Amino acid sequence: MKDVIVALDFQSKEEVVEFLKGFPEPIYTKVGMELFNREGPDIVRYLKAKGHKVFLDLKFHDIPNTVAGAVRSVASLDVDMLNVQAAGGIAMMEAGLAELKKQGKGTILLSITMLTSTNSEILKNELWIDHPLDDTVLHYAANTKKAGLPGVVCSALEVPLIKSHLGADFVTVTPGIRPAGDAKGDQARVVTPDQARSLGSDYIVVGRPITKNSDPYGAYRKIRAEFLGLED
């Protein structure tokens, strides 16, 4: 099911509670490192108790045994999505997935291919990866599928390439979404919600265009309608 995931890029539970007061129904939320490192597991428990779905965006990246342990430590939170870095390798991804299965959880485990703030210059000059960005993303996505994970976090611009090679049912969660006319901020590879729909994204992740808007719920409804092709 396609949906909009709202990135709760706040520093405290109090800010989250205040923000969500304007939303009359449960939504799909993303809890990242900024919020989780401040509030810990309790913020996830709060959101789940209120009926919200949670994508726990902690980007695990370590040796396989450590990643398995990290997955084990958050499995009891029953989040809807969790992620690891594809750059950690196939064995690391397999270890995380095996731990989820051992815990009997229905959490979707995804890998991150390349951050949407990464461009070709960073890839080559800072990360020392000489392959083109698209080729690298596809290779990481293929490794992800080989490890048994059902999908990836990637730029919407890469969705057609990924789905054409790995299948239409391979899940793509795409940050770097900006409504037409909005500033890119620190993102490099961005698209509009309508473009993300056309490119085939399964989920889009949107933060500042909603959280920094003077009417967050109105912005959310407009972006969701545009992404899902609905009348707002």
Side-chain angles (χ1 to χ4, degrees):
M1 177 183 176
K2 294 179 180 287
D3 208 348
V4 174
I5 301 174
V6 179
L8 300 178
D9 294 329
F10 299 107
Q11 293 192 341
S12 68
K13 178 182 177 180
E14 290 74 21
E15 290 176 277
V16 171
V17 171
E18 186 63 30
F19 172 75
L20 290 174
K21 282 180 180 178
F23 289 72
E25 73 274 355
I27 61 173
Y28 213 132
T29 65
K30 182 177 80 72
V31 173
M33 290 182 282
E34 179 180 11
L35 182 59
F36 192 83
N37 287 346
R38 171 72 178 267
E39 297 292 345
D42 283 348
I43 188 63
V44 176
R45 296 188 185 102
Y46 169 79
L47 291 167
K48 295 294 288 185
K50 293 295 183 180
H52 302 290
K53 290 185 175 181
V54 177
F55 169 20
L56 187 56
D57 177 26
L58 298 183
K59 302 178 175 70
F60 293 145
H61 186 181
D62 213 306
I63 62 173
N65 186 63
T66 299
V67 166
V71 170
R72 187 183 313 120
S73 71
V74 299
S76 63
L77 297 175
D78 290 323
V79 295
D80 300 272
M81 283 184 189
L82 185 65
N83 60 7
V84 297
Q85 290 278 9
I90 293 173
M92 186 205 74
M93 291 188 278
E94 288 175 334
L97 182 61
E99 190 60 42
L100 270 184
K101 290 181 177 178
K102 189 187 300 182
Q103 299 295 324
K105 302 301 180 182
T107 302
I108 298 173
L109 183 64
L110 305 171
S111 85
I112 298 172
T113 53
M114 281 288 163
L115 299 175
T116 48
S117 58
T118 300
N119 57 30
S120 297
E121 289 71 29
I122 292 174
L123 191 74
K124 182 177 181 180
N125 298 328
E126 298 180 24
L127 303 182
W128 279 24
I129 297 176
D130 288 331
H131 292 284
L133 185 59
D134 282 355
D135 290 353
T136 302
V137 167
L138 180 59
H139 181 66
Y140 283 12
N143 283 346
T144 300
K145 187 170 185 177
K146 189 179 295 185
L149 278 61
V152 294
V153 179
C154 64
S155 166
L157 295 168
E158 295 138 9
V159 169
L161 177 68
I162 288 171
K163 287 187 176 286
S164 68
H165 284 80
L166 303 178
D169 60 343
F170 195 68
V171 178
T172 52
V173 176
T174 60
I177 305 298
R178 293 289 185 270
D182 273 29
K184 288 184 178 182
D186 53 2
Q187 302 281 10
R189 306 190 321 279
V190 303
V191 301
T192 67
D194 181 61
Q195 289 170 330
R197 174 169 56 87
S198 298
L199 289 164
S201 296
D202 295 300
Y203 297 87
I204 59 173
V205 180
V206 186
R208 284 164 285 187
I210 294 174
T211 60
K212 300 300 184 183
N213 196 286
S214 59
D215 178 14
Y217 184 60
Y220 166 77
R221 282 180 54 89
K222 184 176 180 180
I223 288 170
R224 192 170 188 271
E226 185 178 336
F227 175 57
L228 298 180
L230 304 173
E231 293 291 333
D232 185 18

